[in-house]
């Protein structure tokens, strides 16, 4: 018996805190709300690494950053790393990607049978950080305050252009899957760029919100800002160029508007499943690669393990999924084993590499999850040493060799304003986390691997831009000679073949 179809709808830089589905009083997300109302909402899900490419590579492979060298947004994703697309192909699925996955390197499929669109960001080594000069700001591609000063309304942007293409291609592919006679289940990923900055929205989404209602972040107490947050502030120019409350409100207004825009695509894709009779045999998963600080702690974007940067929405609905909320801590590393359980009922194909996560399927089906933890790794810009996170139960521990340890009680202190690492009442817990971190990770050894990879890629990029350029950017395959109606086709058959529902 084949498994259900699987549709994954992915946002970029969407923190669950800023969605109606997770309780925000203002942000409208009716499609995500509807999924949660008939499915499982995971309330403590994290990305493994709070940056686009590493988050996605680790999600697809079920392996940590340090296991596959997914250091940053210019780290090559090796073709030799097995992904969920490879495994689901072996399980008898058709696999398809529409939209962003930020693949770096010549392999732009990574196990997907087909890819419907190009990517929105470059596939080469241009965005390589430089830990040899970690205090030097890279002006060409670092985030900056332009995203706030330019926040507002527009009829078209490159991000709107991209998501319209991604959504159209995914919708069309769902109709194609319904029209053809291949009875194999499908795995379709529709991956959008919104609500990622710059925070620019079309008027119909902007106008959903009264500008005066847009909330501002809570101020940080004096002395509560950690060294990594100060580095991010400096790197994104929040401390030099700066921003005003009006610019912060504009950014949040655009972000909320674009969150509703992304949600509309979730609703459109679910609608097509319903129209084509697939809603009852398709597991739908809504998530994001990471979050956005959106002014909390005086910073924006991601690149840290604080809640709004590292937490992600994770909602599942479909056959055998129970209406429930799951409080256990989990992460994107758990998605690969979860999807394997969904697809195979536990009869997995042979794994090509060890995976770090556990299946969340029993919890989604209303059962008990005995595990309540997740780990994270970050080795990209705004730091000079690896950063590690352990979230277990109500506590989160963050370690970086260059910084003091951070320990938070996320339940009692959801804004993470009080560092408990040096609190006498938490001394034993902090020491235990420190010892566990030392056992889990060879920080010095990982740092040397990162530096080696950065130096190599900088040389390769310099050579590539000095000689004849060759692009790894994905060009979607399209054969216009076999589309719509052509002279080698039977005109009388072309129309009925493309019609859905078919004529009796």
């Amino acid at each position: 018996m084949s498994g259900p179809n699987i549709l994954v709808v992915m946002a970029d830089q969407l923190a669950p805190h800023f969605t109606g589905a997770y309780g925000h009083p203002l942000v409208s997300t009716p499609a995500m709300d509807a999924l949660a109302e008939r499915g499982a909402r995971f309330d403590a899900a994290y990305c493994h690494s709070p940056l686009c490419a590493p988050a996605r590579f680790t999600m697809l492979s079920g392996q940590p950053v340090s296991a596959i060298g997914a250091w940053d947004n210019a780290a090559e994703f090796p073709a030799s790393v097995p992904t969920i697309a490879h495994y689901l192909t072996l399980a008898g699925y058709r696999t398809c990607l529409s939209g962003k996955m930020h693949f770096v390197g010549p392999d732009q499929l990574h196990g997907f049978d087909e890819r419907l669109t190009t990517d929105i960001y470059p596939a080469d080594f241009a965005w390589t950080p430089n830990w040899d000069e970690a205090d030097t700001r890279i002006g060409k591609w670092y985030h900056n305050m332009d995203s706030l000063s330019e926040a507002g309304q527009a009829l078209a942007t490159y991000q709107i252009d991209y998501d319209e293409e991604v959504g159209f291609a995914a919708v069309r592919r769902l109709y194609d899957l319904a029209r053809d006679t291949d009875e194999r289940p499908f795995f379709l990923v529709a991956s959008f760029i919104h609500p990622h900055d710059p925070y620019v929205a079309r008027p119909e989404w902007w106008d959903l919100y009264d500008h005066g209602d847009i909330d501002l972040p809570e101020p940080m107490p004096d002395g509560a800002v950690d060294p990594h947050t100060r580095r991010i502030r400096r790197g994104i120019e929040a401390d030099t160029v700066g921003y005003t409350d009006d610019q912060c409100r504009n950014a949040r207004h655009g972000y909320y508007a674009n969150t509703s825009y992304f949600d509309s695509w979730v609703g459109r894709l679910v609608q097509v499943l319903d129209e084509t009779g697939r809603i009852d045999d398709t597991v739908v998963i809504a998530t994001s690669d990471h979050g956005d600080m959106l002014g909390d702690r005086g910073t924006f974007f991601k690149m840290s393990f604080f809640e709004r940067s590292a937490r992600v929405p994770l909602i599942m609905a479909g056959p055998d999924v129970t209406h429930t909320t799951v409080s256990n801590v989990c992460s994107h590393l758990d998605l690969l084993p979860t999807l394997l359980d969904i697809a195979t009922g536990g009869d997995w194909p042979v794994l090509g590499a060890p995976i770090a996560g556990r299946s969340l399927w029993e919890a989604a089906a209303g059962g008990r999850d005995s595990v309540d933890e997740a780990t994270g790794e970050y080795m990209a810009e705004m730091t000079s040493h690896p950063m590690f996170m352990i979230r277990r139960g109500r506590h989160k521990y963050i370690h970086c060799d260059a910084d003091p340890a951070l320990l938070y009680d996320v339940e009692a202190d959801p804004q993470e304003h009080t560092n408990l690492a040096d609190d006498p009442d938490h001394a034993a817990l902090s020491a235990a986390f420190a010892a566990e971190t030392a056992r889990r990770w060879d920080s010095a050894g990982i740092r040397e691997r990162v530096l080696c990879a950065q130096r190599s890629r900088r040389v390769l990029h310099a050579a590539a831009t000095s000689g004849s350029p060759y692009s790894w950017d994905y060009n979607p395959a399209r054969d216009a000679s076999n589309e719509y109606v052509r002279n080698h086709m039977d005109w009388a058959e072309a129309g009925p073949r493309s019609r859905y529902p078919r004529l009796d």
Side-chain angles (χ1 to χ4, degrees), residues 198-221:
Y199 309 109
V200 180
R202 277 188 56 87
E204 63 266 31
W205 302 108
W206 182 276
D207 291 345
L208 284 178
Y209 300 95
D210 186 320
H211 192 65
D213 291 341
I214 303 298
D215 53 318
L216 290 174
E218 294 183 19
M220 282 288 290

Side-chain angles (χ1 to χ4, degrees), residues 59-101:
M59 179 190 73
L60 288 174
S61 68
Q63 298 187 64
V65 165
S66 56
I68 58 175
W71 312 120
D72 50 62
N73 277 343
E76 183 178 2
F77 190 18
S80 58
V81 174
T83 70
I84 186 59
H86 292 110
Y87 292 128
L88 290 184
T89 296
L90 293 173
Y93 277 69
R94 294 171 287 176
T95 61
C96 179
L97 169 63
S98 179
K100 177 184 174 180
M101 205 51 72

Side-chain angles (χ1 to χ4, degrees), residues 78-140:
S80 58
V81 174
T83 70
I84 186 59
H86 292 110
Y87 292 128
L88 290 184
T89 296
L90 293 173
Y93 277 69
R94 294 171 287 176
T95 61
C96 179
L97 169 63
S98 179
K100 177 184 174 180
M101 205 51 72
H102 211 138
F103 292 148
V104 176
D107 184 355
Q108 289 292 306
L109 289 176
H110 288 284
F112 285 96
D113 296 332
E114 58 179 346
R115 189 171 184 184
L116 306 180
T117 72
T118 190
D119 216 308
I120 194 166
Y121 289 151
D124 60 17
F125 298 143
W127 295 359
T128 302
N130 187 355
W131 283 10
D132 286 314
E133 299 178 15
D135 292 332
T136 300
R137 187 179 188 281
I138 301 175
K140 185 175 181 181

